Amino acid sequence: MNKSDSERIAGHLEKRGYKKSAEREKAGLVILVTCGVRQSAEDRIYGLVPKIKKENPKVKIILTGCLVNREDVKRRLNGYVDAWMPINKIFNFQFSIFNQFTNFQFSNKKQKDKISCDKDDYLSIKPKYSSKFSAFVPIGNGCNNFCSYCVVPRARGREVYRPAEDILKEIKCLVKKDYKEIILIAQNVNSYKSEITNYPLRQSDSEASKLQITNKSNPPAGGQNSKLKFINFSGLLKLINDIPGDFWIRFFTSHPKDMSDELIKAIAASDKACRHIHLPVQAGDDEVLKKMNRNYTVSHYKSLIKKIRRGLPDVSITTDVIVGFPGETKAQFNNTVKLFKEVKFDMAYISRYSPRPGTAAEKLKDNVSKIEKKRREEELMKILRKTALENNKKYIGKIVDVLVEGRNKRGEWYGKTETAKNVKLGIKNPPNSAGKQELGIRTIIGEFVKVKINKVRGFGLEGEIVK
Ligand code: SF4
């Protein structure tokens, strides 16, 4: 989400004549989109902001993102930061403020006349995409869930969703430009809802009435030829799937309490939705989940996994988990271990709990020691390495579609599968002295290729391009 916000800020500034500085040391203005989800992310800002000022004392620094409302952060960075702006307000600021900061000279009068921006729907700001084949498309912002450890509802506010027509327009534009991966993002995609009025439906779309959300105050108009009034996330997914073109649809993040059977069916019926579900479990113990205010139980989570695997047989499942939540006993942690062994995740992002200011969990005693948190993290990692490798073995000998992403520092080409597996790509005929083969491969960055998998690791696959 922060990356996507940065792309919109860059797009907004460039439209007003600003240019990205080739070197940070020479920039007139630096805008930092901060993350406060973990202490480690916050700590990075404390190191980075003084460093930027030291290397370039004249630079003006604006801070936005999760940390802007925190008084303790403001005190700590006092004297370094020139303005604090909430992310959804950053586009409302009079650009004369930036101008004053940077001594920016408008290149023509027209730009000067348009220096202010009063957009409230900041999600609709046209981004400057950082990739030429994969794009983040925000469908919403904020969260209503108030998990007890999380800063997001306070930092980003309550849920706001972007109109479906706006999203569809952006995606059509991206597909026209040959984008191959559309990543829909929101804190909780499953809660998406939007009124939709002008989007033409296919006459034959027998699913049309199913896309409508039955709502007593806004009953569906009914009938196949009627226009949609409201759609949910499954409905949105179906409409995106209908856009002609060769592209993948990914989405992040799903909340286990809101993931519906309807959505699983919509993914199964889609030829573009990736077979990868990221479903943060956070803990494998009901007591801990209750303290986290997650509003589901372990048995609900497990039955959801069963349904997903039944509906989407080749799916990969990834998760987020927190170890050492306040009061988490060894027995409670062992329930998470049990869950890890049972579910056999393909990947897990394991965080050691750190109290976040302003959250409900901050008031609980952070009584699991750092060493014990590390031990718990390592124990889960050990299981994950095994289960991920076991899952990856199923790929041996298979031919899979891979979206080529680039070349790493070691000179190896890489990409990923729709199941979000990283793939190292071997080249069948090694490059000749003129590097011809290399050039051939270079042209397929951002393209789909068929790859025969011949080797697997815990967190990745290796294979040869066969087409
Ligand atoms: S669902 Fe919970 S963890 Fe996710 S953003 Fe909302 S409050 Fe934070």
Side-chain angles (χ1 to χ4, degrees):
M1 201 74 195
N2 277 5
K3 197 169 173 186
S4 170
D5 285 345
S6 303
E7 290 182 346
R8 273 191 303 282
I9 293 169
H12 192 61
L13 289 173
E14 283 203 358
K15 211 171 154 196
R16 277 146 191 87
Y18 283 72
K19 280 201 177 68
K20 190 180 172 192
S21 176
E23 295 160 71
R24 196 170 66 194
E25 292 81 358
K26 291 187 182 155
L29 173 69
V30 170
I31 303 182
L32 290 159
V33 187
T34 60
C35 171
V37 135
R38 282 183 228 161
Q39 188 60 44
S40 53
E42 192 180 317
D43 288 344
R44 241 174 288 153
I45 287 294
Y46 298 138
L48 188 59
V49 172
K51 190 173 173 234
I52 294 173
K53 272 278 177 183
K54 199 176 163 198
E55 62 192 24
N56 180 3
K58 284 189 188 150
V59 73
K60 299 292 177 188
I61 298 181
I62 295 179
L63 234 80
T64 183
C66 281
L67 300 178
V68 285
N69 299 324
R70 293 253 312 272
E71 289 308 317
D72 56 326
V73 179
K74 285 185 181 168
R75 276 196 300 276
R76 196 154 169 184
L77 292 176
N78 185 26
Y80 293 109
V81 175
D82 297 277
W84 302 78
M85 299 186 186
I87 188 67
N88 52 351
K89 297 282 182 300
I90 198 162
F91 303 101
N92 298 43
F93 270 76
Q94 293 290 321
F95 259 73
S96 51
I97 291 181
F98 290 158
N99 195 20
Q100 175 197 321
F101 277 173
T102 59
N103 287 328
F104 177 76
Q105 297 296 314
F106 287 97
S107 53
N108 62 47
K109 190 173 171 310
K110 259 190 191 164
Q111 278 176 349
K112 195 167 185 175
D113 292 341
K114 283 199 233 160
I115 55 174
S116 76
C117 168
D118 55 3
K119 275 215 174 241
D120 277 336
D121 51 342
Y122 95 99
L123 293 176
S124 302
I125 302 276
K126 201 172 175 325
K128 178 181 160 53
Y129 303 105
S130 50
S131 159
K132 291 205 171 1
F133 56 87
S134 171
F136 290 115
V137 176
I139 64 167
N141 180 44
C143 188
N144 298 347
N145 285 323
F146 287 92
C147 300
S148 65
Y149 52 83
C150 182
V151 292
V152 168
R154 288 158 194 88
R156 289 192 172 266
R158 298 302 97 77
E159 288 169 20
V160 178
Y161 289 105
R162 195 176 161 195
E165 273 129 327
D166 207 13
I167 298 167
L168 293 161
K169 199 171 144 203
E170 181 176 348
I171 297 173
K172 278 183 180 172
C173 232
L174 287 163
V175 173
K176 250 191 207 156
K177 288 183 187 153
D178 216 19
Y179 272 74
K180 292 289 190 277
E181 185 178 51
I182 303 296
I183 309 170
L184 308 172
I185 49 169
Q187 268 72 38
N188 188 7
V189 289
N190 305 129
S191 301
Y192 178 84
K193 47 191 161 304
S194 162
E195 207 171 325
I196 189 161
T197 46
N198 299 317
Y199 201 76
L201 278 179
R202 293 170 303 173
Q203 293 285 311
S204 59
D205 194 347
S206 59
E207 293 294 302
S209 59
K210 285 187 203 162
L211 298 178
Q212 292 169 317
I213 295 173
T214 309
N215 176 326
K216 276 183 189 153
S217 54
N218 295 291
Q224 287 183 14
N225 299 333
S226 64
K227 286 184 175 181
L228 296 178
K229 296 294 177 202
F230 291 90
I231 60 165
N232 57 13
F233 185 61
S234 313
L236 181 70
L237 205 62
K238 288 175 191 174
L239 291 179
I240 298 171
N241 195 69
D242 279 352
I243 297 173
D246 189 15
F247 63 96
W248 283 345
I249 311 166
R250 287 189 195 281
F251 56 85
F252 301 101
T253 292
S254 299
H255 195 301
K257 80 175 165 55
D258 298 319
M259 183 140 191
S260 64
D261 295 358
E262 185 197 9
L263 179 58
I264 299 169
K265 276 187 201 150
I267 301 167
S270 163
D271 57 341
K272 293 176 179 131
C274 289
R275 271 41 180 176
H276 167 218
I277 305 286
H278 184 69
L279 200 62
V281 65
Q282 306 298 8
D285 180 85
D286 285 345
E287 248 336 275
V288 178
L289 285 173
K290 205 171 169 191
K291 278 200 207 164
M292 289 178 163
N293 195 30
R294 291 290 288 175
N295 288 306
Y296 54 83
T297 60
V298 176
S299 77
H300 170 82
Y301 188 88
K302 286 200 287 195
S303 73
L304 198 49
I305 297 286
K306 261 190 205 150
K307 274 192 222 168
I308 293 169
R309 288 203 165 124
R310 208 178 305 129
L312 309 164
D314 297 322
V315 75
S316 75
I317 296 178
T318 58
T319 197
D320 296 332
V321 69
I322 297 171
V323 294
F325 187 77
E328 185 188 62
T329 62
K330 286 195 177 163
Q332 286 170 333
F333 171 69
N334 284 340
N335 285 334
T336 306
V337 170
K338 215 168 123 200
L339 181 85
F340 259 56
K341 285 181 181 165
E342 262 182 75
V343 175
K344 297 183 172 45
F345 291 109
D346 290 90
M347 176 51 90
Y349 302 92
I350 307 164
S351 315
R352 299 177 211 164
Y353 173 79
S354 60
R356 302 287 66 224
T359 60
E362 191 200 3
K363 295 180 187 82
L364 304 172
K365 197 164 176 225
D366 182 18
N367 60 349
V368 181
S369 71
K370 280 188 181 168
I371 294 174
E372 178 59 15
K373 281 176 190 164
K374 189 168 177 269
R375 192 199 67 76
R376 290 181 190 184
E377 180 191 9
E378 282 166 0
E379 191 170 344
L380 292 184
M381 271 310 291
K382 219 166 136 188
I383 301 163
L384 180 66
R385 262 188 226 109
K386 262 194 200 161
T387 58
L389 180 64
E390 237 174 79
N391 293 345
N392 286 353
K393 280 182 186 164
K394 293 175 204 144
Y395 285 82
I396 293 234
K398 278 193 179 168
I399 293 176
V400 292
D401 287 323
V402 171
L403 178 59
V404 184
E405 293 177 317
R407 199 174 193 187
N408 64 22
K409 283 178 190 156
R410 291 187 298 276
E412 298 156 344
W413 297 94
Y414 62 87
K416 69 171 172 279
T417 64
E418 65 162 309
T419 51
K421 303 276 178 187
N422 293 320
V423 189
K424 199 165 94 180
L425 303 169
I427 307 167
K428 218 170 189 177
N429 308 306
N432 62 23
S433 54
K436 266 198 167 166
Q437 180 71 45
E438 242 187 56
L439 281 175
I441 294 285
R442 197 163 289 151
T443 59
I444 57 166
I445 288 183
E447 296 293 329
F448 292 121
V449 290
K450 299 265 179 216
V451 175
K452 186 168 184 193
I453 303 300
N454 48 32
K455 203 171 163 188
V456 296
R457 289 169 281 121
F459 300 123
L461 315 173
E462 287 180 33
E464 270 181 8
I465 298 174
V466 291
K467 205 173 144 196

